[in-house]
Amino acid sequence: QTSNSLDVAINGQGFLQVSMPDGTTSYTRDGSLHLDAQGQIVTSNGFAVSPAITIPSNATKINIGQDGIVTVNVPGQAAPTQVGQLQLATFANPGGLLQVTQNLVAESANSGIPQVGVAGTGARGQINNAQLELSNVDLSVQFTDMIRAERGFQANSRIITTSDEMLQDLV
């Protein structure tokens, strides 16, 4: 949970679309969003989400629904105003995506083409507002696996050393 109304966590499959300066589209699960100087929603690296969403300068409250609909409260209007909708892209093989920079990935022949749509439909996850995802790495499991690999290496080294000593005695 965060106190930033622009933070989003994707609960399930999917990536946010990001417009790159060269005109291409990249994808990210980094939901640490904020506003740039023009009021446009951008990633932590300053890349605009796609489709572009601009928040009015007089907005008093921003809300992002589970389906990605972005609404704002504007003074003088009783009901929230919809200003855009975040869309999620899914891939047939997300493991085939190419790492672009830091937390951005791009489609490749191995990943398949992106299937873009509304959050919560099809195989796409839901968007949780004012939340960020935790790391998908469990340090205790990784540390245990590292120790196990080190012990296996040590055991194999001892076997080779013992085998060499036995062959030396034979010669």
Side-chain angles (χ1 to χ4, degrees):
Q1 295 283 342
T2 68
S3 60
N4 183 0
S5 62
L6 287 172
D7 285 344
V8 295
I10 301 169
N11 186 11
Q13 300 296 316
F15 294 86
L16 294 170
Q17 299 177 98
V18 177
S19 297
M20 301 301 290
D22 63 1
T24 60
T25 300
S26 292
Y27 305 90
T28 186
R29 287 186 65 93
D30 179 8
S32 180
L33 305 176
H34 63 277
L35 299 177
D36 67 4
Q38 292 77 34
Q40 192 170 17
I41 297 178
V42 296
T43 65
S44 57
N45 297 331
F47 301 120
V49 297
S50 178
I53 300 172
T54 303
I55 304 298
S57 59
N58 63 344
T60 58
K61 181 181 176 186
I62 303 169
N63 185 49
I64 301 173
Q66 289 186 335
D67 54 1
I69 293 177
V70 181
T71 58
V72 296
N73 290 357
V74 180
Q77 294 182 356
T81 304
Q82 181 176 336
V83 293
Q85 184 171 22
L86 294 174
Q87 295 182 347
L88 297 182
T90 57
F91 296 88
N93 178 20
L97 291 166
L98 297 174
Q99 190 75 31
V100 176
T101 61
Q102 298 169 346
N103 55 6
L104 295 176
V105 293
E107 70 177 283
S108 70
N110 292 334
S111 68
I113 60 172
Q115 303 298 317
V116 180
V118 176
T121 63
R124 290 172 207 83
Q126 292 182 334
I127 294 178
N128 295 334
N129 189 225
Q131 296 180 10
L132 289 175
E133 290 185 46
L134 295 176
S135 173
N136 62 353
V137 176
D138 185 350
L139 288 178
S140 61
V141 170
Q142 296 300 316
F143 192 67
T144 302
D145 289 346
M146 182 184 69
I147 291 172
R148 188 177 296 133
E150 182 182 6
R151 297 292 184 234
F153 178 78
Q154 288 174 347
N156 287 334
S157 295
R158 286 187 192 133
I159 290 171
I160 291 171
T161 303
T162 304
S163 174
D164 284 348
E165 289 174 358
M166 290 173 60
L167 287 174
Q168 186 177 18
D169 288 345
L170 278 170
V171 171

